[in-house]
C-alpha cells in the first residue's frame, strides 16, 4: 500500500516569505507527527496530531510555525516569514501501532536564501 | 526531558568487519525502536523491542534491549556497504503520543568496500 507522502520534495524560498509543506499519511493512521532534521542531526520533534487535534505543540520553535490537519488525514505545516535558520529537512510520520511505530515520508528539503 | 545518547556518533569500517552501536538513557522506556535513514529519505523502522533483555535478529543485525529497559544495542555482523546509513534509536513510553517517542541523534555508519 501507499506510504507517507510529502510535497514538495524540495523548496527554495527567500527570507521573509511564507511556505506551506504538505503531508499525506498512511490511510487509517490516526496519529501524525512533524519533525525537523538539520544537516547531519537527529530528529527534532515539532508537533503531534491525534485525529485533527494537536495535543502537543511544544516542539514548535516559534509562533511563525503552525500546523493543521483536516479530516483526520492530510496535514500542512506553515512557516511564516521564513528565516535562514529554518533551512532543514522537514519530515512527517504517521502511526497506528501500539508501540508508536512511526512510518516516515521522504521529507521536504527547505532552503531559505 | 528524556535523552537518548547514541554512540559512536560516526563510524567508518571496512566491509566484513563487525560493529556495535549503543543507545543509552537514564530513563526507562516501555519500548525501543531502531530506524535506518539513507540520504534523501525518511527513516525506516528496523525493529521494535519491548521486553527487558529481549534480543531480536534481523539477518546480520542483532538488537538487544537492556534488562532495565534504559539502553539498547545494535550489532552488525560482517558489515556490507548496503548497511551504510544513519542509525537512529527511539524510546517510547506507555500511552503513546509524541511525548512517548524520544529520538537519539543517531550514529552515522559508513561501510567501505
Amino acid at each position: 500500500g501507499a506510504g507517507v507522502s510529502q510535497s514538495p520534495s524540495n523548496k527554495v524560498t527567500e527570507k521573509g516569505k511564507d511556505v506551506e509543506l504538505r503531508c499525506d499519511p498512511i490511510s487509517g493512521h490516526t496519529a501524525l507527527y512533524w519533525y525537523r532534521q538539520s544537516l547531519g542531526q537527529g530528529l527534532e520533534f515539532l508537533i503531534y496530531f491525534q485525529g485533527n487535534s494537536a495535543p502537543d505543540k511544544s516542539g514548535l520553535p516559534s509562533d511563525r510555525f503552525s500546523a493543521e490537519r483536516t479530516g483526520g488525514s492530510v496535514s500542512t505545516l506553515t512557516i511564516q516569514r521564513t528565516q535562514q535558520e529554518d533551512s532543514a529537512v522537514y519530515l512527517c510520520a504517521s502511526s497506528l501501532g501500539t508501540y508508536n511505530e512511526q512510518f516516515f515520508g521522504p521529507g521536504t528539503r527547505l532552503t531559505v536564501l | 526531558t528524556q535523552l537518548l545518547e547514541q554512540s559512536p556518533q560516526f563510524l567508518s569500517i571496512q566491509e566484513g568487519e563487525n560493529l556495535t552501536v549503543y543507545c543509552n538513557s537514564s530513563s526507562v522506556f516501555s519500548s525501543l525502536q531502531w530506524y535506518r535513514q539513507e540520504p534523501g529519505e525518511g527513516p525506516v523502522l528496523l525493529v521494535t523491542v519491548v521486553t527487558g533483555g529481549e534480543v531480536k535478529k534481523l539477518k546480520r543485525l542483532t538488537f538487544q534491549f537492556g534488562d532495565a529497559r534504559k539502553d539498547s544495542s545494535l550489532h552488525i555482523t560482517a558489515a556490507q556497504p548496503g548497511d551504510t546509513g544513519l542509525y537512529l534509536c527511539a524510546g517510547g513510553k506507555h500511552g503513546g503520543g509524541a511525548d512517548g517517542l524520544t529520538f537519539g541523534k543517531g550514529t552515522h555508519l559508513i561501510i567501505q568496500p
Side-chain angles (χ1 to χ4, degrees):
Chain A
V4 178
S5 61
Q6 292 186 246
S7 61
S9 55
N10 283 283
K11 177 70 176 180
V12 180
T13 190
E14 295 180 347
K15 178 181 174 181
K17 300 282 189 181
D18 297 351
V19 296
E20 190 173 275
L21 313 180
R22 177 187 169 107
C23 172
D24 281 274
I26 292 173
S27 177
H29 281 195
T30 57
L32 186 147
Y33 311 80
W34 284 98
Y35 295 88
R36 181 168 69 176
Q37 187 175 33
S38 300
L39 186 63
Q41 297 298 308
L43 273 65
E44 175 189 3
F45 165 74
L46 298 178
I47 189 169
Y48 151 69
F49 287 91
Q50 179 62 44
N52 291 335
S53 65
D56 188 351
K57 303 180 181 179
S58 63
L60 294 176
S62 75
D63 58 8
R64 296 185 296 105
F65 287 72
S66 63
E68 64 177 15
R69 189 180 185 196
T70 55
S73 182
V74 172
S75 176
T76 55
L77 176 69
T78 301
I79 309 173
Q80 295 178 310
R81 304 180 304 281
T82 52
Q83 303 294 312
Q84 288 182 334
E85 60 263 28
D86 299 335
S87 296
V89 176
Y90 289 81
L91 290 161
C92 173
S94 68
S95 173
L96 179 62
T98 303
Y99 295 107
N100 300 317
E101 297 168 344
Q102 298 186 8
F103 297 86
F104 284 83
T108 293
R109 180 174 297 279
L110 175 66
T111 303
V112 182
L113 301 177
Chain B
T1 302
Q2 295 180 320
L3 292 176
L4 275 171
E5 300 288 340
Q6 290 191 239
S7 61
Q9 287 186 317
F10 298 94
L11 183 60
S12 178
I13 62 172
Q14 295 294 317
E15 180 177 3
E17 295 184 12
N18 302 332
L19 67 108
T20 302
V21 298
Y22 300 92
C23 176
N24 296 297
S25 176
S26 58
S27 301
V28 176
F29 293 99
S30 62
S31 65
L32 198 130
Q33 299 161 16
W34 285 90
Y35 292 81
R36 183 173 75 199
Q37 184 178 22
E38 299 186 25
E41 300 180 7
V44 175
L45 180 67
L46 296 174
V47 76
T48 300
V49 286
V50 299
T51 304
E54 181 177 4
V55 176
K56 280 192 175 179
K57 292 191 175 183
L58 184 65
K59 297 184 180 178
R60 293 177 292 99
L61 279 61
T62 301
F63 305 85
Q64 184 164 9
F65 202 11
D67 290 342
R69 290 185 288 131
K70 293 182 179 181
D71 53 83
S72 181
S73 64
L74 159 60
H75 182 79
I76 301 179
T77 303
Q80 303 294 312
D83 297 327
T84 293
L86 174 65
Y87 288 80
L88 295 158
C89 67
K93 294 192 307 184
H94 286 297
D99 61 352
L101 201 59
T102 302
F103 278 88
K105 292 188 175 182
T107 293
H108 294 266
L109 176 63
I110 297 174
I111 309 300
Q112 301 180 22

